[in-house]
Amino acid sequence: MKTELTRALKEKYALGAFNFVNLEMLKAIIAASKETNFPVIASVSEGALKYMGEEETVAMFKAAKRDAKVYLHLDHGKDLTLIKRMVDLGFDSVMIDASSHPFEENVRQTKEITDYAHKKGVFVEAELGTLAGIEDEVHADKNIYTNPNEAKKFVELTNCDSLAVAIGTSHGAYKFAGESKLNMEILSEIENLIPSTPLVLHGASSVPQKYVELLNKFGGNVKGAKGVDESLLSEACHKHNICKINSDTDLRICFTAAVRKYLTENPEEFDLRKYLGAGKEEVKNLLIEKIKLLGKF
Ligand code: G3H
Ligand code: 13P
Ligand code: ZN
């Protein structure tokens, strides 16, 4: 992970970090990496770990990964004991998200994790600033941009390997009421102060309207969903220091839309492999497009 993100920083591109909650999603992520021959990060949230089981997740990942350039990452780790357990279980990378705490407490918790994880060669992402939005177990009411001077101090004090910044994105399918906008000025200030730290953009789903429309056409009811424009994502990773772009919502919408379509068009079918397979295939196609947008080819 360290080598990958250092290279991404130097050559100005980003790795996609995609969340999975089952074997189908994981296989779609791995297949997209293989088809593009590009590294990818497979992320699991604490909620996903509860759903799949901790040891089951790691065993499944190791078995499915084979020779693919795919890294296993803990997303939004908040429970320090759980984060350390994932370090011990063999994760490539962990995120300590203590961003809801005051600065000093965020530093304290992050430092505790970097000290622990670095001894075992595990990469650590931390977060400073607050993203708006609600997604199952990740909540925040306001969007508080990352303070560039605090970011510099934070990285020096914690020795984290990468930093998630708040520049206007939020989690979930409803990110903007009007035009989508990111604060590139703050991003520039941050990267001028910590030029060797790879930056991470959470809440970076673009919420492709073609999948929202497909979802709604086949019985879904998702209205007014809006994500980050792809041109802004491209600018953030090719002109700035965003080296990891997180997406979960897009995969969920895409998978669900494809399953709904399959079931509606094949009402006689009840073989799980058929409709989950349709979801997996469509997510793979979505991810190939994303990797091409963010990566370097
Ligand atoms: O950024 C957060 C992830 O999308 C969280 O998802 O807690 O619903 O699994 P989850
Ligand atoms: P989205 O809700 O935009 O997909 O963000 C996911 C994320 O940040 C995971 O950490
Ligand atoms: Zn996130």
Side-chain angles (χ1 to χ4, degrees), residues 19 75-76 95 97 125 127 131 135 138 171 201-204 246 248:
N19 288 62
D75 191 29
H76 292 285
M95 175 186 189
D97 178 4
E125 172 182 331
E127 177 166 330
L131 272 76
E135 213 171 71
V138 180
H171 290 113
L201 191 64
H202 281 250
N246 284 17
D248 185 355

Side-chain angles (χ1 to χ4, degrees), residues 31 40 50 98 122 127 130 136 149 158-159 205 212 235 242 267:
V40 164
K50 251 185 244 154
V122 173
E127 177 166 330
T130 309
D136 289 8
N149 293 315
T158 62
N159 200 21
S205 273
V212 176
E235 185 181 339
I242 298 289

Side-chain angles (χ1 to χ4, degrees), residues 172-190:
Y174 307 92
K175 300 184 192 298
F176 303 98
E179 192 197 342
S180 80
K181 213 171 166 297
L182 297 185
N183 196 327
M184 299 297 187
E185 293 76 35
I186 287 202
L187 183 56
S188 297
E189 280 182 48
I190 297 170

Side-chain angles (χ1 to χ4, degrees), residues 39-257:
V40 164
I41 297 162
S43 298
V44 278
S45 65
E46 290 187 350
L49 280 174
K50 251 185 244 154
Y51 179 76
M52 292 188 283
E54 295 174 359
E55 301 208 347
E56 291 88 332
T57 300
V58 177
M60 182 169 84
F61 175 82
K62 286 189 175 155
K65 173 187 144 85
R66 298 212 180 95
D67 57 345
K69 283 186 279 185
V70 182
Y71 301 90
L72 182 60
H73 172 75
L74 173 67
D75 191 29
H76 292 285
K78 302 212 169 188
D79 173 344
L80 301 197
T81 311
L82 180 142
I83 300 173
K84 290 178 187 171
R85 210 160 56 235
M86 294 313 109
V87 168
D88 295 343
L89 264 185
F91 273 60
D92 298 298
S93 163
V94 290
M95 175 186 189
I96 158 72
D97 178 4
S99 61
S100 61
H101 295 283
F103 183 83
E104 289 72 23
E105 178 60 11
N106 189 355
V107 167
R108 191 194 67 74
Q109 291 193 14
T110 302
K111 179 83 171 48
E112 185 174 327
I113 294 302
T114 50
D115 286 348
Y116 189 88
H118 286 168
K119 276 192 207 121
K120 309 208 173 190
V122 173
F123 187 94
V124 178
E125 172 182 331
E127 177 166 330
L128 189 64
T130 309
L131 272 76
I134 299 175
E135 213 171 71
D136 289 8
E137 306 201 351
V138 180
H139 303 267
D141 296 330
K142 290 182 219 133
N143 192 324
I144 303 166
Y145 294 130
T146 303
N147 175 311
N149 293 315
E150 277 189 2
K152 180 172 162 50
K153 207 165 135 199
F154 184 85
V155 169
E156 284 165 4
L157 290 170
T158 62
N159 200 21
C160 62
D161 299 298
S162 66
L163 186 69
V165 292
I167 56 164
T169 57
S170 59
H171 290 113
Y174 307 92
K175 300 184 192 298
F176 303 98
E179 192 197 342
S180 80
K181 213 171 166 297
L182 297 185
N183 196 327
M184 299 297 187
E185 293 76 35
I186 287 202
L187 183 56
S188 297
E189 280 182 48
I190 297 170
E191 60 208 18
N192 284 338
L193 290 169
I194 44 169
S196 23
T197 303
L199 303 176
V200 179
L201 191 64
H202 281 250
S205 273
S206 55
V207 189
Q209 289 307 302
K210 77 167 179 177
Y211 289 119
V212 176
E213 278 158 24
L214 199 66
L215 189 68
N216 289 336
K217 180 174 170 196
F218 290 99
N221 186 13
V222 174
K223 301 272 154 61
K226 182 149 178 60
V228 186
D229 279 359
E230 290 192 347
S231 59
L232 291 175
L233 295 176
S234 176
E235 185 181 339
C237 60
H238 298 304
K239 299 215 168 99
H240 291 274
N241 288 2
I242 298 289
C243 301
K244 173 173 174 278
I245 293 262
N246 284 17
S247 185
D248 185 355
T249 299
D250 283 357
L251 284 73
R252 295 178 181 193
I253 291 175
C254 174
F255 191 94
T256 306

